[in-house]
């Protein structure tokens, strides 16, 4: 959704497509991590926590003005990391049952 604003800025087709792809790279990477972490909870925990800390650097520069970064980006990533951690620590291993 955040990537779509590039189409309202104008420019030729290739500039808009390039801007769209640049803005979409973080979402593509996090989706790939989510697919890999589906069975490896520790990987999801470490990656999402690292991404949340990475985005918190903006909050440290200007705490009042960048509160949206905390609420919209780092906050949900921290919650996802904590959910991966909880499943890693307390989740029960599931057995494959074939009939």
């Amino acid at each position: 959704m955040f990537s779509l604003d590039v189409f309202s800025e104008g420019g030729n087709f290739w500039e808009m497509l390039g801007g769209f792809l640049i803005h979409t790279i973080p979402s593509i990477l996090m989706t790939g991590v989510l697919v890999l972490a589906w069975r490896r909870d520790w990987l999801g925990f470490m990656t999402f926590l690292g991404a949340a800390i990475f985005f918190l650097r903006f909050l440290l520069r200007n705490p009042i003005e960048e509160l949206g970064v905390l609420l919209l980006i780092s906050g949900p990533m921290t919650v996802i990391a904590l959910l991966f951690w909880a499943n890693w620590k307390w989740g029960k291993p599931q057995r494959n049952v074939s009939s």
Side-chain angles (χ1 to χ4, degrees):
M1 185 167 141
F2 296 119
S3 304
L4 297 176
D5 68 337
V6 97
F7 295 111
S8 66
E9 293 177 6
N12 66 29
F13 173 75
W14 296 110
E15 289 173 346
M16 289 189 294
L17 183 63
F20 176 75
L21 291 175
I22 291 295
H23 284 94
T24 308
I25 287 173
S27 298
I28 293 170
L29 289 176
M30 294 312 284
T31 302
V33 166
L34 186 62
V35 168
L36 292 174
W38 197 257
R39 298 273 181 196
R40 297 167 195 88
D41 297 323
W42 63 270
L43 179 65
F45 166 65
M46 298 298 281
T47 306
F48 277 93
L49 186 63
I53 292 169
F54 175 76
F55 283 109
L56 271 179
R57 76 184 198 285
F58 295 112
L59 184 68
L60 296 176
R61 277 193 244 155
N62 233 343
I64 301 300
E65 292 178 14
E66 299 297 335
L67 190 60
V69 171
L70 175 69
L71 297 176
L72 293 175
I73 299 174
S74 282
M77 283 189 183
T78 304
V79 169
I80 292 170
L82 291 175
L83 289 171
F84 270 118
W85 178 76
N87 196 45
W88 178 31
K89 290 297 179 187
W90 298 307
K92 295 179 183 176
Q94 297 181 1
R95 293 185 291 166
N96 291 333
V97 179
S98 55
S99 42

XYZ file of all heavy atoms in Angstrom:
801
model
N 0.821 -1.179 0.000
C 0.000 0.000 0.000
C 0.879 1.261 0.000
O 0.576 2.212 -0.684
C -0.907 -0.014 1.216
C -1.870 1.109 1.245
S -3.105 0.781 2.502
C -3.309 2.376 3.143
N 1.975 1.230 0.775
C 2.853 2.400 0.814
C 3.585 2.592 -0.503
O 4.061 3.675 -0.801
C 3.864 2.272 1.956
C 3.233 2.264 3.316
C 3.368 1.180 4.149
C 2.494 3.347 3.745
C 2.786 1.175 5.394
C 1.904 3.357 4.993
C 2.049 2.265 5.818
N 3.689 1.551 -1.296
C 4.407 1.632 -2.563
C 3.586 2.306 -3.650
O 4.139 2.778 -4.632
C 4.777 0.231 -3.042
O 5.517 -0.444 -2.080
N 2.296 2.342 -3.504
C 1.441 2.859 -4.566
C 1.490 4.372 -4.713
O 1.071 4.896 -5.733
C -0.003 2.400 -4.339
C -0.209 0.889 -4.390
C -1.647 0.546 -4.064
C 0.175 0.343 -5.751
N 2.008 5.092 -3.725
C 2.070 6.543 -3.832
C 3.036 7.000 -4.916
O 2.980 8.136 -5.370
C 2.451 7.179 -2.502
C 3.885 6.874 -2.095
O 4.433 5.867 -2.578
O 4.429 7.638 -1.286
N 3.894 6.120 -5.377
C 4.868 6.470 -6.408
C 4.168 6.769 -7.736
O 4.665 7.554 -8.541
C 5.899 5.326 -6.537
C 5.590 4.369 -7.640
C 7.281 5.859 -6.682
N 2.990 6.207 -7.956
C 2.275 6.430 -9.211
C 1.613 7.799 -9.273
O 1.276 8.274 -10.346
C 1.243 5.326 -9.446
C 1.880 3.981 -9.653
C 1.755 2.985 -8.710
C 2.615 3.726 -10.796
C 2.340 1.747 -8.903
C 3.210 2.479 -10.997
C 3.068 1.503 -10.039
N 1.429 8.448 -8.146
C 0.821 9.781 -8.149
C 1.849 10.893 -8.314
O 1.478 12.046 -8.497
C 0.028 9.996 -6.858
O 0.904 10.014 -5.757
N 3.130 10.564 -8.258
C 4.173 11.577 -8.357
C 4.486 11.964 -9.791
O 5.154 12.952 -10.034
C 5.447 11.083 -7.663
C 5.282 10.946 -6.185
C 6.521 10.397 -5.525
O 7.550 10.235 -6.208
O 6.452 10.131 -4.324
N 4.047 11.206 -10.745
C 4.318 11.504 -12.144
C 5.632 10.901 -12.597
O 6.312 10.206 -11.865
N 5.994 11.187 -13.834
C 7.196 10.607 -14.417
C 6.801 9.598 -15.478
O 5.623 9.309 -15.698
N 7.803 9.066 -16.159
C 7.466 8.077 -17.179
C 7.245 6.714 -16.541
O 7.434 6.518 -15.349
C 8.551 8.039 -18.274
C 9.883 7.538 -17.761
O 9.949 6.748 -16.832
N 10.949 8.014 -18.365
N 6.836 5.778 -17.385
C 6.463 4.454 -16.901
C 7.613 3.773 -16.172
O 7.433 3.180 -15.112
C 5.987 3.593 -18.073
C 5.742 2.166 -17.710
C 4.610 1.812 -16.995
C 6.654 1.169 -18.045
C 4.376 0.491 -16.633
C 6.438 -0.146 -17.694
C 5.293 -0.482 -16.992
N 8.820 3.817 -16.728
C 9.961 3.114 -16.151
C 10.389 3.721 -14.823
O 10.804 2.992 -13.914
C 11.117 3.078 -17.141
C 10.744 2.293 -18.363
C 10.530 2.791 -19.610
C 10.488 0.889 -18.434
N 10.163 1.775 -20.459
C 10.131 0.595 -19.758
C 10.521 -0.147 -17.513
C 9.815 -0.688 -20.181
C 10.202 -1.429 -17.929
C 9.863 -1.694 -19.250
N 10.298 5.051 -14.674
C 10.633 5.684 -13.395
C 9.636 5.271 -12.320
O 10.017 4.988 -11.183
C 10.643 7.199 -13.540
C 11.799 7.734 -14.351
C 11.675 9.216 -14.607
O 10.581 9.788 -14.396
O 12.681 9.818 -15.030
N 8.354 5.243 -12.686
C 7.335 4.840 -11.711
C 7.475 3.374 -11.344
O 7.349 3.004 -10.175
C 5.934 5.130 -12.257
C 5.608 6.604 -12.321
S 3.883 6.946 -12.701
C 3.730 6.334 -14.354
N 7.763 2.515 -12.335
C 7.939 1.095 -12.050
C 9.163 0.864 -11.165
O 9.112 0.079 -10.215
C 8.070 0.298 -13.350
C 8.196 -1.207 -13.190
C 6.940 -1.786 -12.554
C 8.473 -1.860 -14.531
N 10.255 1.571 -11.445
C 11.452 1.456 -10.616
C 11.199 1.911 -9.189
O 11.624 1.263 -8.230
N 10.505 3.032 -9.027
C 10.161 3.511 -7.689
C 9.265 2.540 -6.949
O 9.432 2.305 -5.743
N 8.312 1.944 -7.662
C 7.424 0.958 -7.052
C 8.215 -0.247 -6.562
O 8.008 -0.728 -5.443
C 6.347 0.524 -8.054
C 5.450 -0.547 -7.544
C 4.467 -0.260 -6.610
C 5.584 -1.848 -7.984
C 3.629 -1.254 -6.123
C 4.758 -2.844 -7.512
C 3.781 -2.548 -6.584
N 9.132 -0.735 -7.393
C 9.924 -1.899 -6.996
C 10.838 -1.590 -5.820
O 10.989 -2.421 -4.911
C 10.735 -2.405 -8.190
C 9.915 -3.034 -9.315
C 10.804 -3.386 -10.489
C 9.154 -4.251 -8.822
N 11.443 -0.418 -5.808
C 12.310 -0.032 -4.683
C 11.508 0.031 -3.383
O 11.971 -0.414 -2.333
C 12.991 1.323 -4.971
C 14.009 1.180 -6.088
C 13.628 1.900 -3.723
C 15.190 0.292 -5.757
N 10.292 0.587 -3.451
C 9.475 0.689 -2.242
C 8.899 -0.659 -1.808
O 8.499 -0.821 -0.656
C 8.327 1.681 -2.460
C 8.754 3.099 -2.411
N 9.089 3.818 -3.532
C 8.918 3.941 -1.374
C 9.435 5.033 -3.202
N 9.344 5.135 -1.878
N 8.832 -1.619 -2.709
C 8.236 -2.911 -2.405
C 9.257 -3.926 -1.895
O 8.881 -4.937 -1.310
C 7.519 -3.456 -3.651
O 6.632 -2.447 -4.142
C 6.686 -4.672 -3.353
N 10.541 -3.668 -2.068
C 11.585 -4.616 -1.658
C 11.467 -5.033 -0.188
O 11.539 -6.232 0.109
C 12.986 -4.069 -1.995
C 13.216 -4.146 -3.502
C 14.074 -4.832 -1.263
C 14.490 -3.488 -3.965
N 11.262 -4.117 0.767
C 11.135 -4.584 2.166
C 9.963 -5.541 2.381
O 10.093 -6.531 3.110
C 10.936 -3.295 2.967
C 11.537 -2.230 2.120
C 11.301 -2.648 0.706
N 8.851 -5.296 1.718
C 7.700 -6.197 1.864
C 7.990 -7.563 1.269
O 7.612 -8.595 1.835
C 6.472 -5.603 1.175
O 6.117 -4.391 1.776
N 8.665 -7.581 0.130
C 9.012 -8.852 -0.499
C 9.982 -9.632 0.395
O 9.817 -10.843 0.590
C 9.604 -8.608 -1.900
C 8.526 -8.056 -2.833
C 10.209 -9.890 -2.469
C 9.052 -7.564 -4.161
N 10.972 -8.947 0.947
C 11.938 -9.618 1.825
C 11.272 -10.174 3.076
O 11.540 -11.313 3.483
C 13.056 -8.658 2.214
C 14.036 -8.283 1.110
C 15.030 -7.239 1.617
C 14.757 -9.504 0.599
N 10.401 -9.394 3.701
C 9.739 -9.862 4.926
C 8.769 -11.003 4.636
O 8.590 -11.898 5.461
C 9.029 -8.709 5.636
C 9.985 -7.656 6.183
S 11.373 -8.305 7.117
C 10.582 -8.737 8.639
N 8.150 -11.005 3.446
C 7.290 -12.119 3.061
C 8.127 -13.381 2.884
O 7.713 -14.472 3.303
C 6.522 -11.791 1.774
O 5.740 -10.608 1.985
C 5.615 -12.926 1.366
N 9.303 -13.245 2.274
C 10.201 -14.392 2.140
C 10.645 -14.932 3.481
O 10.709 -16.156 3.691
N 10.947 -14.044 4.410
C 11.331 -14.467 5.758
C 10.171 -15.177 6.439
O 10.356 -16.193 7.112
C 11.803 -13.261 6.596
C 11.890 -13.607 8.071
C 13.128 -12.749 6.079
N 8.977 -14.662 6.244
C 7.798 -15.290 6.848
C 7.593 -16.704 6.320
O 7.276 -17.618 7.083
C 6.561 -14.438 6.580
C 5.272 -14.870 7.253
C 5.429 -14.825 8.762
C 4.130 -13.979 6.813
N 7.813 -16.905 5.027
C 7.688 -18.245 4.445
C 8.745 -19.179 5.039
O 8.440 -20.321 5.395
C 7.802 -18.171 2.902
C 7.976 -19.546 2.291
C 6.584 -17.475 2.317
N 9.987 -18.702 5.158
C 11.049 -19.529 5.732
C 10.829 -19.791 7.220
O 11.186 -20.857 7.728
C 12.407 -18.864 5.527
C 12.908 -18.793 4.093
C 14.191 -17.982 4.025
C 13.114 -20.190 3.533
N 10.263 -18.824 7.919
C 10.085 -18.946 9.369
C 8.818 -19.705 9.752
O 8.571 -19.905 10.936
C 10.053 -17.553 10.005
N 8.059 -20.129 8.778
C 6.795 -20.812 9.075
C 7.036 -22.050 9.939
O 6.254 -22.353 10.831
C 6.108 -21.194 7.768
C 4.689 -21.514 7.952
C 4.116 -22.758 7.990
C 3.622 -20.580 8.129
N 2.773 -22.648 8.172
C 2.436 -21.324 8.261
C 3.559 -19.190 8.178
C 1.207 -20.722 8.440
C 2.319 -18.606 8.359
C 1.166 -19.364 8.489
N 8.131 -22.755 9.695
C 8.473 -23.944 10.487
C 9.657 -23.717 11.417
O 9.992 -24.568 12.215
C 8.796 -25.117 9.555
C 7.678 -25.541 8.688
C 6.824 -26.514 9.386
N 5.736 -26.933 8.492
C 4.683 -27.531 8.920
N 4.556 -27.794 10.187
N 3.740 -27.879 8.095
N 10.326 -22.598 11.283
C 11.499 -22.282 12.111
C 11.205 -21.007 12.899
O 11.522 -19.909 12.456
C 12.733 -22.089 11.227
C 13.122 -23.313 10.464
C 14.133 -22.951 9.387
N 14.283 -24.008 8.418
C 13.551 -24.147 7.324
N 12.586 -23.289 7.060
N 13.762 -25.134 6.488
N 10.618 -21.181 14.050
C 10.175 -20.027 14.838
C 11.317 -19.118 15.255
O 11.169 -17.904 15.308
C 9.421 -20.501 16.081
C 8.163 -21.259 15.721
O 7.513 -20.871 14.738
O 7.845 -22.234 16.417
N 12.475 -19.678 15.554
C 13.609 -18.868 15.975
C 14.042 -17.905 14.869
O 14.450 -16.787 15.149
C 14.771 -19.755 16.415
C 15.310 -20.620 15.309
C 14.894 -21.877 14.977
C 16.324 -20.274 14.377
N 15.598 -22.331 13.902
C 16.489 -21.366 13.504
C 17.115 -19.152 14.197
C 17.402 -21.366 12.464
C 18.036 -19.150 13.154
C 18.169 -20.249 12.302
N 13.929 -18.334 13.619
C 14.298 -17.469 12.500
C 13.331 -16.287 12.392
O 13.749 -15.147 12.192
C 14.302 -18.273 11.196
C 14.651 -17.507 9.935
C 16.086 -17.022 9.986
C 14.421 -18.379 8.717
N 12.044 -16.541 12.561
C 11.063 -15.470 12.540
C 11.261 -14.496 13.687
O 11.182 -13.278 13.504
N 11.546 -15.024 14.867
C 11.783 -14.172 16.027
C 12.974 -13.254 15.804
O 12.882 -12.039 15.970
C 11.996 -15.037 17.276
C 12.558 -14.298 18.446
C 11.820 -13.301 19.058
C 13.822 -14.591 18.926
C 12.336 -12.607 20.148
C 14.348 -13.913 19.999
C 13.598 -12.915 20.613
N 14.104 -13.821 15.393
C 15.321 -13.028 15.225
C 15.177 -12.001 14.098
O 15.593 -10.852 14.245
C 16.511 -13.953 14.939
C 16.812 -14.916 16.060
S 17.249 -14.098 17.582
C 18.919 -13.681 17.238
N 14.593 -12.387 12.998
C 14.495 -11.489 11.851
C 13.524 -10.349 12.107
O 13.836 -9.183 11.824
C 14.068 -12.272 10.603
O 14.958 -13.374 10.412
C 14.093 -11.389 9.380
N 12.337 -10.653 12.625
C 11.363 -9.597 12.871
C 11.818 -8.667 13.989
O 11.587 -7.463 13.921
C 9.978 -10.184 13.157
C 9.226 -10.520 11.903
C 9.274 -11.784 11.354
C 8.480 -9.557 11.250
C 8.593 -12.089 10.198
C 7.795 -9.845 10.094
C 7.852 -11.116 9.559
N 12.469 -9.204 14.999
C 12.998 -8.347 16.057
C 14.111 -7.450 15.519
O 14.167 -6.257 15.824
C 13.496 -9.174 17.231
C 13.946 -8.388 18.450
C 12.765 -7.612 19.036
C 14.533 -9.317 19.491
N 14.972 -8.002 14.698
C 16.028 -7.202 14.079
C 15.467 -6.100 13.190
O 15.964 -4.966 13.195
N 14.428 -6.412 12.434
C 13.803 -5.396 11.580
C 13.143 -4.303 12.421
O 13.212 -3.119 12.082
C 12.780 -6.041 10.655
N 12.509 -4.684 13.519
C 11.883 -3.690 14.391
C 12.928 -2.762 15.003
O 12.737 -1.540 15.050
C 11.088 -4.388 15.500
N 14.044 -3.322 15.417
C 15.117 -2.490 15.976
C 15.713 -1.600 14.897
O 16.034 -0.434 15.142
C 16.183 -3.383 16.637
C 15.587 -4.036 17.890
C 17.435 -2.599 16.976
C 16.445 -5.123 18.484
N 15.843 -2.122 13.681
C 16.360 -1.332 12.567
C 15.496 -0.100 12.319
O 15.999 1.000 12.126
C 16.425 -2.199 11.310
C 16.838 -1.457 10.080
C 18.161 -1.114 9.876
C 15.906 -1.098 9.125
C 18.552 -0.431 8.733
C 16.280 -0.418 7.986
C 17.612 -0.086 7.787
N 14.177 -0.266 12.341
C 13.285 0.868 12.098
C 13.179 1.799 13.306
O 12.788 2.954 13.168
C 11.902 0.398 11.666
C 11.870 -0.047 10.236
C 11.734 -1.382 9.914
C 11.989 0.870 9.207
C 11.708 -1.790 8.595
C 11.974 0.480 7.894
C 11.842 -0.862 7.584
N 13.525 1.325 14.499
C 13.493 2.182 15.687
C 14.556 3.269 15.652
O 14.459 4.255 16.372
C 13.667 1.351 16.954
C 12.396 0.807 17.555
C 12.713 -0.009 18.787
C 11.415 1.893 17.871
N 15.559 3.117 14.813
C 16.604 4.143 14.734
C 16.022 5.480 14.299
O 16.532 6.527 14.653
C 17.734 3.696 13.823
C 17.438 3.781 12.360
C 18.589 3.211 11.537
N 18.553 3.621 10.176
C 17.723 3.173 9.245
N 16.807 2.292 9.571
N 17.788 3.605 8.007
N 14.933 5.460 13.519
C 14.282 6.702 13.123
C 13.623 7.374 14.323
O 13.603 8.592 14.431
C 13.225 6.454 12.046
C 13.787 5.962 10.761
C 13.532 4.694 10.325
C 14.593 6.790 9.989
C 14.056 4.231 9.126
C 15.128 6.346 8.786
C 14.854 5.064 8.358
N 13.097 6.576 15.226
C 12.418 7.107 16.406
C 13.405 7.796 17.343
O 13.066 8.781 17.981
C 11.700 5.969 17.139
C 10.861 6.365 18.333
C 9.661 7.173 17.874
C 10.399 5.144 19.077
N 14.610 7.317 17.400
C 15.600 7.894 18.312
C 16.064 9.276 17.861
O 16.489 10.078 18.673
C 16.792 6.951 18.449
C 16.459 5.605 19.075
C 17.690 4.712 19.086
C 15.906 5.764 20.474
N 15.985 9.558 16.569
C 16.393 10.872 16.070
C 15.398 11.963 16.439
O 15.786 13.047 16.835
C 16.533 10.832 14.545
C 17.860 10.299 14.118
C 18.047 10.589 12.665
N 18.103 9.294 11.987
C 17.799 9.084 10.736
N 17.382 10.064 9.984
N 17.903 7.897 10.228
N 14.137 11.693 16.262
C 13.087 12.675 16.483
C 11.889 11.981 17.136
O 10.935 11.637 16.454
C 12.668 13.270 15.131
C 12.714 14.762 15.134
O 12.753 15.375 16.182
N 12.689 15.334 13.956
N 11.893 11.777 18.434
C 10.878 10.934 19.074
C 9.437 11.390 18.861
O 8.559 10.559 18.651
C 11.233 10.988 20.561
C 12.615 11.484 20.630
C 12.864 12.268 19.396
N 9.167 12.673 18.908
C 7.786 13.137 18.799
C 7.276 13.037 17.364
O 6.178 12.549 17.119
C 7.671 14.592 19.322
C 8.111 14.669 20.780
C 6.266 15.126 19.133
C 7.308 13.819 21.729
N 8.078 13.477 16.410
C 7.642 13.498 15.015
C 7.596 12.108 14.398
O 6.837 11.863 13.476
C 8.545 14.405 14.193
C 8.406 15.857 14.560
C 9.340 16.732 13.756
O 9.906 16.260 12.750
O 9.510 17.896 14.146
N 8.415 11.192 14.861
C 8.492 9.866 14.264
C 7.741 8.812 15.072
O 8.023 7.629 14.958
C 9.960 9.454 14.104
C 10.749 10.360 13.206
C 10.261 10.375 11.768
O 9.646 9.388 11.323
O 10.490 11.386 11.088
N 6.757 9.215 15.841
C 5.966 8.270 16.621
C 5.196 7.315 15.709
O 4.949 6.171 16.064
C 5.018 9.019 17.553
C 4.310 8.184 18.598
C 5.320 7.511 19.507
C 3.363 9.029 19.392
N 4.862 7.772 14.504
C 4.175 6.910 13.543
C 5.005 5.708 13.145
O 4.469 4.637 12.866
N 6.333 5.868 13.117
C 7.214 4.742 12.799
C 7.044 3.654 13.851
O 6.966 2.463 13.535
C 8.683 5.204 12.716
C 9.623 4.026 12.615
C 8.884 6.158 11.566
N 6.954 4.061 15.100
C 6.770 3.097 16.178
C 5.418 2.409 16.069
O 5.318 1.185 16.152
C 6.900 3.784 17.537
C 6.619 2.901 18.746
C 7.719 1.867 18.897
C 6.504 3.729 19.985
N 4.383 3.175 15.841
C 3.037 2.616 15.842
C 2.719 1.808 14.592
O 1.984 0.827 14.657
C 2.016 3.747 15.993
C 2.090 4.526 17.302
C 1.093 5.669 17.290
C 1.843 3.612 18.484
N 3.259 2.213 13.446
C 2.890 1.552 12.195
C 3.889 0.502 11.722
O 3.511 -0.416 11.003
C 2.724 2.597 11.082
C 1.554 3.540 11.250
C 1.564 4.610 10.165
C 0.250 2.773 11.195
N 5.147 0.631 12.079
C 6.143 -0.285 11.534
C 6.803 -1.109 12.635
O 6.718 -2.338 12.647
C 7.203 0.488 10.708
C 6.502 1.192 9.544
C 8.275 -0.449 10.209
C 7.393 2.092 8.744
N 7.478 -0.473 13.569
C 8.216 -1.211 14.595
C 7.299 -1.935 15.574
O 7.624 -3.042 16.006
C 9.133 -0.271 15.371
O 10.284 -0.003 14.624
N 6.194 -1.330 15.909
C 5.268 -1.960 16.859
C 4.740 -3.300 16.376
O 4.886 -4.323 17.066
N 4.128 -3.357 15.183
C 3.648 -4.652 14.688
C 4.763 -5.675 14.482
O 4.565 -6.861 14.743
C 2.977 -4.299 13.358
C 2.576 -2.882 13.511
C 3.644 -2.253 14.359
N 5.947 -5.223 14.043
C 7.052 -6.169 13.869
C 7.496 -6.740 15.217
O 7.859 -7.911 15.303
C 8.231 -5.499 13.173
C 8.036 -5.339 11.706
S 9.561 -4.780 10.968
C 9.035 -4.577 9.291
N 7.462 -5.929 16.261
C 7.813 -6.416 17.597
C 6.782 -7.422 18.091
O 7.137 -8.450 18.671
C 7.929 -5.236 18.579
O 8.889 -4.303 18.069
C 8.339 -5.700 19.952
N 5.515 -7.146 17.842
C 4.451 -8.082 18.240
C 4.620 -9.412 17.502
O 4.511 -10.492 18.101
C 3.054 -7.471 17.984
C 1.957 -8.506 18.142
C 2.826 -6.292 18.914
N 4.916 -9.359 16.201
C 5.123 -10.584 15.432
C 6.335 -11.344 15.972
O 6.294 -12.575 16.119
C 5.279 -10.253 13.934
C 3.956 -9.730 13.375
C 5.738 -11.474 13.151
C 4.055 -9.152 11.988
N 7.411 -10.621 16.289
C 8.599 -11.270 16.849
C 8.262 -11.949 18.178
O 8.700 -13.084 18.426
C 9.713 -10.249 17.043
N 7.490 -11.287 19.015
C 7.115 -11.883 20.308
C 6.225 -13.114 20.123
O 6.328 -14.078 20.886
C 6.432 -10.843 21.187
C 7.346 -9.724 21.689
C 6.539 -8.674 22.446
C 8.463 -10.285 22.552
N 5.365 -13.092 19.131
C 4.530 -14.268 18.861
C 5.376 -15.440 18.365
O 5.137 -16.585 18.746
C 3.435 -13.918 17.847
C 2.340 -13.001 18.372
C 1.429 -12.553 17.230
C 1.534 -13.678 19.458
N 6.358 -15.165 17.507
C 7.273 -16.227 17.084
C 8.050 -16.763 18.284
O 8.250 -17.973 18.409
C 8.247 -15.712 16.013
C 7.748 -15.876 14.612
C 7.534 -14.766 13.812
C 7.512 -17.123 14.065
C 7.089 -14.901 12.511
C 7.071 -17.285 12.773
C 6.858 -16.166 11.987
N 8.499 -15.863 19.166
C 9.244 -16.297 20.350
C 8.381 -17.179 21.252
O 8.836 -18.210 21.742
C 9.740 -15.073 21.117
C 10.464 -15.427 22.370
C 11.732 -15.910 22.475
C 9.951 -15.360 23.695
N 12.053 -16.124 23.788
C 10.976 -15.804 24.562
C 8.737 -14.962 24.245
C 10.798 -15.854 25.933
C 8.568 -15.023 25.605
C 9.594 -15.465 26.432
N 7.135 -16.759 21.474
C 6.237 -17.536 22.333
C 5.992 -18.926 21.750
O 5.993 -19.928 22.478
C 4.917 -16.790 22.515
N 5.817 -19.002 20.439
C 5.598 -20.311 19.827
C 6.868 -21.159 19.861
O 6.810 -22.373 20.012
C 5.111 -20.147 18.390
C 4.523 -21.425 17.857
O 3.749 -22.101 18.522
N 4.897 -21.772 16.639
N 8.009 -20.514 19.750
C 9.282 -21.219 19.813
C 9.500 -21.808 21.206
O 9.935 -22.945 21.357
C 10.387 -20.249 19.436
C 11.780 -20.777 19.476
C 12.202 -22.065 19.234
C 12.953 -20.029 19.777
N 13.562 -22.147 19.348
C 14.059 -20.911 19.686
C 13.197 -18.700 20.100
C 15.358 -20.502 19.907
C 14.496 -18.294 20.309
C 15.560 -19.190 20.213
N 9.185 -21.019 22.242
C 9.425 -21.470 23.610
C 8.346 -22.421 24.119
O 8.646 -23.381 24.819
C 9.515 -20.264 24.557
C 10.762 -19.444 24.342
C 11.980 -20.280 24.641
C 13.236 -19.476 24.397
N 14.433 -20.284 24.525
N 7.097 -22.142 23.803
C 6.008 -22.898 24.416
C 5.176 -23.705 23.438
O 4.271 -24.423 23.855
C 5.086 -21.955 25.182
C 5.795 -21.259 26.284
C 6.537 -21.831 27.274
C 5.867 -19.856 26.502
N 7.058 -20.863 28.103
C 6.662 -19.635 27.649
C 5.341 -18.754 25.848
C 6.927 -18.382 28.151
C 5.611 -17.497 26.345
C 6.400 -17.319 27.479
N 5.453 -23.594 22.166
C 4.665 -24.340 21.186
C 4.944 -25.834 21.261
O 6.044 -26.271 21.561
N 3.938 -26.607 21.002
C 4.091 -28.058 21.031
C 4.462 -28.520 19.621
O 3.861 -28.088 18.646
C 2.783 -28.712 21.458
C 2.381 -28.378 22.865
C 1.078 -29.017 23.224
C 0.688 -28.592 24.636
N -0.631 -29.112 24.988
N 5.436 -29.407 19.528
C 5.758 -29.945 18.197
C 4.598 -30.770 17.677
O 4.010 -31.564 18.428
C 6.999 -30.793 18.434
C 7.078 -31.018 19.893
C 6.290 -29.941 20.564
N 4.286 -30.582 16.425
C 3.180 -31.317 15.829
C 3.725 -32.481 15.025
O 4.723 -32.371 14.334
C 2.355 -30.408 14.928
C 1.706 -29.273 15.694
C 0.881 -28.396 14.777
O 0.783 -28.634 13.597
N 0.283 -27.373 15.347
N 3.045 -33.584 15.135
C 3.436 -34.772 14.372
C 2.617 -34.837 13.100
O 1.447 -34.467 13.088
C 3.218 -36.033 15.199
C 4.132 -36.114 16.395
C 3.969 -37.413 17.095
N 2.637 -37.436 17.730
C 2.048 -38.506 18.204
N 2.637 -39.666 18.119
N 0.873 -38.443 18.774
N 3.227 -35.307 12.059
C 2.490 -35.523 10.822
C 1.728 -36.838 10.932
O 2.308 -37.881 11.156
C 3.436 -35.592 9.617
C 4.068 -34.245 9.335
O 3.493 -33.223 9.656
N 5.253 -34.276 8.737
N 0.433 -36.765 10.790
C -0.419 -37.937 10.895
C -0.896 -38.252 9.487
O -1.593 -37.463 8.861
C -1.614 -37.688 11.832
C -2.498 -38.900 11.895
C -1.112 -37.265 13.196
N -0.492 -39.387 8.994
C -0.957 -39.771 7.657
C -1.975 -40.890 7.809
O -1.873 -41.755 8.658
C 0.223 -40.206 6.792
O 0.932 -41.221 7.443
N -2.969 -40.842 6.951
C -4.031 -41.838 7.070
C -3.900 -42.938 6.076
O -3.060 -43.105 5.322
C -5.380 -41.194 6.886
O -5.383 -40.269 5.842
